[in-house]
Amino acid sequence: MKIGIVCYPTFGGSGVLATELGIALSDKGYEVHFITYEQPVRLNQSFHPNIYFHEVKVPTYPLFDYPPYETALASTMVNVIVNQKLDILHLHYAIPHASAAYFARQILRKTGQDIPFITTLHGTDITLVGRDATYAPVVTFSINESDAITAVSDNLREETFRSFKIEKDIHVIPNFVDIKRFYQTDKEHFKQMLAPDGEKILVHVSNFRAVKRVPDVIKIFEKVRKEVPSKLLMIGDGPERLNVEELARTMGVYNDIRFLGKQEQISEILSIADLFLLPSETESFGLSALEAMACNVPLISTNAGGLPEINIEGVTGYMSDVGDVDSMAKHAIYMLSDNDRLAQFKKDAIAQARKFEKQHIIPMYEQLYNEVIANYNKNK
Ligand code: GMT
């Protein structure tokens, strides 16, 4: 089977998940074609002979204040579908991928070469951006035109039905983790450098957007640090970074924090962490938290969105209401202040991550592809 994957190539969760899916499918013998404007970040970590990358180029012109990416994307989809003879197109993040696919299909129908497409909803395409009245009619239409729809959690599925007039079922296929790549490795020397006096290490990974409430990470750390000797690693970059660095200086905790920026070898950093902080305003699943758990790291998170579907209260960590930094700090101190207790949380975090191992989840996508292609051909 030849599968086209359309995604954002950045460090965002939807692009990471789409890339991991493409890698997993290619390992199983499928031919995978990525269509996006840049090489997806996790693709350049190693060579995969069954994976092809088709760059969407958006020519500029003095008239264009806003170069028409969606038009370039739809044209590239048409080219790749026809020339590579794809069987199915899988779109990750509804905007603008689903509407571009609809457009591409209308073009292909004229020549009898159209193929089915599946849209996977990831989170902010529904909970923030898609809901905006500017986009909502196009998002609703193109989701409904998809041959199948998936969401990454039960919560996102319900949220989609609440916010849009969706006329077909939404399959829930959760995020997954490759535990052959995400596991705790021995990085004691690295830990020694960052926490020379045996301090506990807290970590946050995100794209530093407002929805992640990154200032809450600093506020939680400031409280934890008063009770438990600790250090904080901040991984990622984005619009909130400068404000957050300034907040850390103002609160007098900057010297105990390392802002490491965007990193590709996340599992090596997670390997030395004791606790993962994810105080998001909304989080449809929390892929970064799952990857942390696979590396032995329990969670302090909010109870927003789909987080209760992965963080088991009192077992893999604790959850609090959005913005309740006192509660999150209290739970973090409880977990970090007793080594035996912390070890149990770590063990339970790994056990929970294993439930979302890629070998359990990839077959769900394979089954859906087969069903969708069979139905499409039947109704042609
Ligand atoms: O918001 C992000 O951090 C990026 C975003 C995306 O769509 O690129 O991530 C979303 O998709 C991930 C993969 O399915 C989920 O694990 C994240 O929870 C989700 N983010 C939000 O809902 C805020």
Side-chain angles (χ1 to χ4, degrees):
M1 189 189 298
K2 295 185 179 189
I3 303 157
I5 293 187
V6 182
C7 65
Y8 284 103
T10 57
F11 280 87
S14 62
V16 169
L17 198 276
T19 311
E20 293 287 351
L21 174 62
I23 294 170
L25 290 168
S26 83
D27 287 346
K28 292 187 102 173
Y30 296 93
E31 189 173 303
V32 178
H33 293 260
F34 280 92
I35 305 172
T36 182
Y37 58 85
E38 225 169 57
Q39 167 107 325
V41 277
R42 288 213 181 159
L43 254 199
N44 51 28
Q45 294 178 353
S46 55
F47 174 65
H48 307 273
N50 282 342
I51 295 185
Y52 300 76
F53 166 53
H54 306 271
E55 187 177 333
V56 180
K57 296 200 180 67
V58 192
T60 53
Y61 183 66
L63 191 65
F64 298 156
D65 277 343
Y66 303 100
Y69 178 67
E70 197 170 335
T71 306
L73 176 61
S75 293
T76 312
M77 286 174 180
V78 169
N79 274 326
V80 178
I81 291 168
V82 171
N83 293 319
Q84 303 296 333
K85 303 196 173 13
L86 300 188
D87 296 299
I88 192 162
L89 201 57
H90 189 172
L91 316 156
H92 292 264
Y93 206 90
I95 308 167
H97 302 147
S99 47
Y102 172 75
F103 192 12
R105 192 157 75 182
Q106 293 309 103
I107 297 168
L108 288 167
R109 279 201 171 148
K110 297 270 180 205
T111 61
Q113 298 177 81
D114 56 320
I115 59 167
F117 71 88
I118 294 179
T119 301
T120 289
L121 309 171
H122 279 273
T124 51
D125 45 352
I126 296 301
T127 55
L128 290 177
V129 198
R131 196 182 274 171
D132 189 303
T134 322
Y135 295 118
V138 173
V139 172
T140 312
F141 176 80
S142 48
I143 291 177
N144 278 323
E145 285 296 319
S146 308
D147 296 283
I149 312 162
T150 80
V152 298
S153 62
D154 289 330
N155 177 271
L156 185 62
R157 178 180 185 272
E158 283 154 28
E159 197 61 40
T160 308
F161 281 128
R162 258 197 302 276
S163 308
F164 299 91
K165 268 190 128 165
I166 299 300
E167 292 153 1
K168 46 180 72 154
D169 195 14
I170 300 177
H171 305 257
V172 174
I173 304 186
N175 285 180
F176 60 88
V177 64
D178 179 355
I179 62 157
K180 290 217 173 74
R181 292 203 349 265
F182 281 84
Y183 61 94
Q184 190 180 33
T185 47
D186 183 8
K187 294 283 162 198
E188 199 48 42
H189 58 290
F190 182 21
K191 190 163 191 164
Q192 271 294 319
M193 276 167 58
L194 293 167
D197 298 317
E199 295 94 333
K200 294 287 186 279
I201 296 184
L202 291 77
V203 68
H204 171 76
V205 181
S206 79
N207 42 24
F208 284 54
R209 285 184 290 153
V211 68
K212 300 291 176 180
R213 295 187 65 101
V214 195
D216 285 0
V217 175
I218 307 298
K219 292 176 194 164
I220 297 165
F221 178 64
E222 191 263 343
K223 291 176 192 298
V224 171
R225 183 178 155 277
K226 284 183 186 151
E227 305 291 328
V228 182
S230 44
K231 303 279 183 186
L232 172 64
L233 302 180
M234 299 290 280
I235 319 297
D237 210 333
E240 290 281 293
R241 171 146 174 206
L242 287 183
N243 293 343
V244 169
E245 288 204 38
E246 186 52 32
L247 177 68
R249 276 188 280 269
T250 315
M251 295 187 88
V253 294
Y254 191 84
N255 289 343
D256 283 324
I257 305 179
R258 295 267 189 123
F259 286 88
L260 296 173
K262 290 177 182 170
Q263 296 283 334
E264 291 192 2
Q265 302 307 327
I266 299 282
S267 65
E268 292 189 15
I269 302 170
L270 291 170
S271 287
I272 62 162
D274 294 295
L275 198 58
F276 189 85
L277 302 179
L278 193 61
S280 305
E281 178 89 35
T282 163
E283 197 67 65
S284 66
F285 183 91
L287 179 60
S288 57
L290 175 61
E291 291 181 341
M293 287 199 286
C295 292
N296 219 19
V297 191
L299 312 176
I300 287 293
S301 74
T302 54
N303 48 20
L307 285 170
E309 293 172 46
I310 59 163
N311 192 3
I312 309 171
E313 181 75 1
V315 178
T316 59
Y318 288 95
M319 291 177 290
S320 304
D321 291 340
V322 173
D324 192 347
V325 290
D326 286 337
S327 158
M328 287 184 261
K330 190 184 86 192
H331 287 132
I333 293 163
Y334 173 77
M335 290 167 74
L336 294 171
S337 54
D338 181 307
N339 281 337
D340 291 340
R341 186 187 297 146
L342 183 61
Q344 186 61 47
F345 276 106
K346 289 184 174 192
K347 226 169 120 195
D348 291 335
I350 289 202
Q352 171 71 342
R354 291 217 167 102
K355 294 184 192 151
F356 297 93
E357 252 185 71
K358 71 171 184 176
Q359 78 216 41
H360 304 313
I361 311 297
I362 302 300
M364 297 184 187
Y365 281 115
E366 291 176 272
Q367 192 185 335
L368 188 63
Y369 293 161
N370 284 318
E371 278 171 18
V372 166
I373 292 172
N375 262 336
Y376 200 74
N377 291 336
K378 201 169 73 194
N379 298 326
K380 237 179 175 177

